[in-house]
Amino acid sequence: MQIKNNLRLMNWKGVLISLGAVILTVGIINYALGNVTIPNSFTNGTVADATQVNANFQALANAMPGVKIASVPDNSNITSVYPAGTQLGSISVTIPAAGNVMVSSFGAICLNNHTNGLADMLWLKISKTSGAVTGGGSYSTVAIPAELPTYGRSCGPLGGSYIFAETAAGTYTYYLNMATNTTGSLKGETLGTSLIAQYFPNTLP
């Protein structure tokens, strides 16, 4: 008898744990999609039109985050002088509704042909304008102090992000741009670089 009672208790515990997991999962989904407007509602006894049901599913799909990755070709001998710049690569994304697009870049960056006595610098920017390295959105600079000796190449990690608030559905293109600060022999270079665009439909409260 005690064994049966224990089994019943274990079964109920299993049911409660499973129910709790379902409630938690539904709560998380509800919180994550709290700003979603479902276009159609249905009541018992009425026919659910397929077009309306599909529209509801589409609204949920539009509220899910998305991501896209694009490779940036290796670039060398970048000599554009600030405030002018050179486009290194780009990424285009199509978003289903207004939201935020966070664009990030990862890879390696090099300064070539540093000369002792010159303070060398590179500007990197993710922008919606090809070649632009000024204004909002600038996120990274690499500098070599003037007192360092002359040498051929110095490389390090490249990384940074910028969030663009887009007000409508559509296709948007973002660019990774670079410029230097001198007309001398300094050259900028990128290696093994990628652009990553992440779409977020909602802003957290």
Side-chain angles (χ1 to χ4, degrees):
M1 187 67 176
Q2 184 64 35
I3 294 176
K4 289 183 178 179
N5 289 335
N6 288 341
L7 289 174
R8 290 194 187 99
L9 182 59
M10 291 174 63
N11 288 338
W12 275 110
K13 284 182 178 179
V15 170
L16 291 174
I17 291 172
S18 298
L19 181 59
V22 170
I23 293 173
L24 178 62
T25 302
V26 171
I28 291 173
I29 293 174
N30 185 60
Y31 178 78
L33 302 180
N35 294 331
V36 179
T37 300
I38 304 301
N40 304 290
S41 60
F42 306 99
T43 58
N44 290 336
T46 61
V47 177
D49 181 76
T51 300
Q52 293 176 315
V53 173
N54 289 338
N56 284 357
F57 279 118
Q58 188 61 54
L60 292 175
N62 289 349
M64 296 294 181
V67 64
K68 183 177 181 179
I69 302 174
S71 296
V72 175
D74 289 346
N75 292 271
S76 60
N77 299 326
I78 303 301
T79 58
S80 302
V81 178
Y82 185 93
T86 296
Q87 176 194 323
L88 305 180
S90 66
I91 187 169
S92 296
V93 295
T94 300
I95 62 175
N100 299 303
V101 180
M102 182 171 71
V103 185
S104 306
S105 181
F106 300 95
I109 183 172
C110 301
L111 281 163
N112 299 327
N113 300 331
H114 169 70
T115 301
N116 176 256
L118 295 178
D120 290 326
M121 183 174 291
L122 291 179
W123 280 268
L124 283 163
K125 180 184 177 182
I126 295 174
S127 172
K128 294 176 73 172
T129 302
S130 175
V133 290
T134 60
S138 295
Y139 77 96
S140 182
T141 57
V142 180
I144 297 180
E147 58 270 19
L148 289 184
T150 298
Y151 55 82
R153 194 182 202 196
S154 176
C155 297
L158 177 160
S161 301
Y162 194 78
I163 297 176
F164 298 87
E166 306 298 2
T167 59
T171 299
Y172 298 89
T173 300
Y174 308 95
Y175 302 91
L176 178 64
N177 305 315
M178 178 189 285
T180 73
N181 70 324
T182 176
T183 56
S185 60
L186 177 72
K187 297 178 176 62
E189 181 179 3
T190 56
L191 300 170
T193 302
S194 295
L195 283 169
I196 301 175
Q198 297 171 280
Y199 166 67
F200 300 95
N202 297 319
T203 300
L204 293 175

